[in-house]
Every structure is written in C-alpha cells, then in structure tokens.
Amino acid sequence: MSLFDWFADRRKSVPHSERRQEREIADGLWIKCEACGTLTYTKDLRANQMVCLECGHHLRVYSDERIEQLIDAHTWKAIDERLCATDPLKFRDRKQYSDRLRETQEKTGLVDAVQTGLGQLDGLPIALGVMDFQFMGGSMGSVVGEKITRLIERATAEGLPAIVVCASGGARMQEGMLSLMQMAKISGALDRHREARLLYIPVLTHPTTGGVTASFAMLGDIIIAEPKATIGFAGRRVIEQTLREKLPENFQTAEYLLAQGFVDAIVPRTQLKKTLAQLIRLHQPQPISNHAPGSTEAFNPSDTHTEPTHSQVFRRSP
C-alpha cells in the first residue's frame, strides 16, 4: 500500500461528524481551548471576552479587541498612530530589520507593537496603551517607548489616570541600546505622573517579560495581572542555571507573584473593566485640565516636557 492510499483509507475511517467538525474549526466557527480542549462556538467565546466557558482559561487577545473590551463605544481617540520605526542600526539577522518591520506591518495591520489613545472607561476619561504580542512579540523598541511616554505625558497634562496593558517579550534586540533607553524614558514620565498625584495602573497579561517587566510594568500604583499570566524578567532555564537549583512549578505565574507581593490583584478578564472603573473612582482626583479626552486641540509636546524626537529612530508613516 502506498503512503497516499494509507492516508486516503485513514480519512475514510474518520466519522463524517468529525470531518464536519474539522471543517467548522477551519472555517473559524469553533475555537478549541488550549487548556482543556473544549470546543466553543466562536461567537460565545468572544461574548465572554475570549475566556473559556468551561475552564476559565484566558485565550490571547490582541490590541484591537482589548480596546473594544475596555473602552466605551465611540469614545476611543488614537494618538500618535502613524509613528513608525526606521532601521537606525541597519540590523540584520535572518533578514533585514527594515524588511521584517514592513512584513509585520502588512501581516498585522499595525504600525508597531502598541496602540495608544484617550477614551472613556465606564464613563471615566482615561489614557490607555495596549501592547500587541502579534507584532514582533510585543517587543519594546523606540516607537513603543516613545508612544507610551507621550501617552503618560498627555495623561499628566490633562489630569487623567493612565492604564497600560502589557504583553511583551521584552526589549527589541534589533534596536540594541536604543530599545533599552526606553525603559528609563518611560520611567521618567511615570515619575512625573506620580509627582502630579495621578493614578497609573499596569495590567500584566500573558506574557509580560524582559525589559517591560523591569520598567513600567512594575511601576504601577496598583498592579493587576490576568490569571495564570507568565510574568518575569529572564527565562526559567536561565535562572535555574544561574542559581543551580530547581524552581517551583508555578514560578513566574501571576499567582506566584501575587503570593510574593509583586502584584496587587489577579482579575479575570471578564471583571477587568468593572474593577478598573472602581479603582479609578476611588483614587482619581479632579482633573487639572479643562481639555476633554475627545478634544481636537493640537497637542504641544513642549507643554509636557516631551523628549525630543530623533528622526533616525522613528518617523511618521505616510
């Protein structure tokens, strides 16, 4: 029997109902839970914010869907959405960095690994940044750092609480030291935000690692994590080799970090918007600016001490 005949016979042995199920999964009508294997109708899963109805596993969502989950309808106003990276180091690994950027932009429809903007969360004006893991692993390059810095400075100027949803593998290696500089730049903006007695809440999702964890992900007034999210700096294997000892099974999970005091709360995605609204109402002082989040007035970076834009690092897309 040829290999082709074997596969044909095997296909015939599969019940018609299972073949139909495979077609439906391929058509996107059903989604299989990565944790328990349960098949859930896609519309039902999206209605539950991509949280498995059977076991509560949080499936990965990207920035557009996250914004839709958190921001009230018709209140989102993106800022700095056309800011995109160049290739200042002329970096090349398996392919040129500039080519990798262009291909990822075409594939994802995103300009870079974070979306930032102003909007309302349960009627409360906020500044929101959402990192997107599908864009080069949510890596933090110059554009990510600049956009988050500008977002925080905008929030400080307008007296708004700032929320950043983190999902990242860390600093972007293709930009070398330029990506590491973003850690200090964002941290400086957050310090000015804190001095203005304004609220900052990072939301740590799966995964939040590397330089993001080492900077703005851990500088919140209240740090929230999603259930079972991987949160850490270096990888588990590297730490075990350095310490020469076995780490706990749940090491670098949200639950482990909560027990060690590194995060303040673990909040299921279905309760996240409600929880954030409660925290903002408890902690947010009166705005210090009369500018509404939806204002069309031009933003003057000099008003908020925005760091200078380096044209060799990033540019505005056409």
Side-chain angles (χ1 to χ4, degrees):
M1 179 184 292
S2 68
L3 186 63
F4 176 80
D5 292 335
W6 183 86
F7 275 111
D9 289 345
R10 186 175 183 275
R11 181 64 179 172
K12 290 177 182 178
S13 66
V14 176
H16 177 72
S17 60
E18 292 187 18
R19 295 202 301 270
R20 180 181 177 184
Q21 186 181 76
E22 289 176 2
R23 288 198 303 270
E24 289 179 340
I25 294 173
D27 292 338
L29 296 177
W30 299 82
I31 295 178
K32 186 176 182 179
C33 176
E34 304 157 354
C36 68
T38 300
L39 285 172
T40 307
Y41 192 43
T42 301
K43 288 185 178 179
D44 293 339
L45 196 58
R46 293 195 182 280
N48 201 44
Q49 301 190 18
M50 298 302 290
V51 177
C52 179
L53 297 165
E54 190 68 25
C55 69
H57 175 69
H58 286 52
L59 283 76
R60 180 172 290 158
V61 297
Y62 298 116
S63 55
D64 285 335
E65 193 167 0
R66 184 78 67 172
I67 292 168
E68 184 179 343
Q69 291 173 1
L70 294 178
I71 298 297
D72 299 344
H74 312 300
T75 66
W76 176 251
K77 179 186 177 184
I79 58 176
D80 299 313
E81 57 186 328
R82 298 181 64 186
L83 206 64
C84 63
T86 59
D87 185 8
L89 304 182
K90 307 302 178 186
F91 189 94
R92 181 182 182 88
D93 43 44
R94 286 180 296 177
K95 62 177 65 175
Q96 195 73 29
Y97 176 45
S98 56
D99 294 336
R100 190 182 297 276
L101 276 172
R102 185 180 62 256
E103 291 173 5
T104 308
Q105 288 167 350
E106 292 173 354
K107 180 181 178 180
T108 63
L110 300 169
V111 178
D112 215 284
V114 68
Q115 292 196 60
T116 57
L118 307 179
Q120 293 187 11
L121 185 151
D122 198 24
L124 300 166
I126 66 165
L128 175 68
V130 182
M131 304 187 75
D132 200 312
F133 195 78
Q134 67 178 327
F135 194 102
M136 298 185 68
S139 53
M140 178 180 61
S142 300
V143 168
V144 170
E146 182 71 9
K147 290 183 69 173
I148 294 177
T149 300
R150 292 187 183 189
L151 176 77
I152 295 165
E153 291 179 331
R154 182 75 173 264
T156 305
E158 300 195 9
L160 300 174
I163 299 171
V164 177
V165 180
C166 304
S168 176
R172 188 171 298 175
M173 58 169 285
Q174 290 88 348
E175 295 187 20
M177 184 61 70
L178 295 172
S179 64
L180 297 178
M181 290 167 56
Q182 309 311 311
M183 299 167 62
K185 184 166 70 175
I186 298 171
S187 299
L190 283 172
D191 188 56
R192 293 189 290 271
H193 193 71
R194 178 190 59 80
E195 289 177 350
R197 304 179 67 83
L198 294 168
L199 183 65
Y200 166 58
I201 302 176
V203 179
L204 314 185
T205 69
H206 177 77
T208 299
T209 58
V212 171
T213 302
S215 56
F216 60 91
M218 288 295 177
L219 292 177
D221 300 300
I222 302 169
I223 302 175
I224 292 175
E226 283 193 338
K228 298 183 179 179
T230 297
I231 304 165
F233 180 64
R236 181 189 185 95
R237 180 170 54 86
V238 173
I239 298 174
E240 286 184 335
Q241 290 176 350
T242 302
L243 299 178
R244 297 182 180 179
E245 62 180 61
K246 189 71 174 176
L247 296 171
E249 287 300 322
N250 65 340
F251 182 70
Q252 291 186 330
T253 63
E255 289 73 16
Y256 182 86
L257 267 67
L258 178 65
Q260 303 302 317
F262 282 90
V263 302
D264 297 302
I266 296 175
V267 180
R269 189 179 297 158
T270 52
Q271 298 295 316
L272 182 58
K273 182 174 182 177
K274 178 182 177 181
T275 301
L276 289 172
Q278 290 174 336
L279 290 173
I280 292 170
R281 287 190 172 98
L282 284 171
H283 294 88
Q284 175 68 356
Q286 292 297 318
I288 60 174
S289 171
N290 292 325
H291 301 309
S295 173
T296 58
E297 183 176 342
F299 172 52
N300 184 359
S302 63
D303 292 341
T304 57
H305 309 290
T306 303
E307 299 196 15
T309 297
H310 303 288
S311 59
Q312 73 273 22
V313 177
F314 48 78
R315 60 178 174 81
R316 288 189 176 274
S317 61

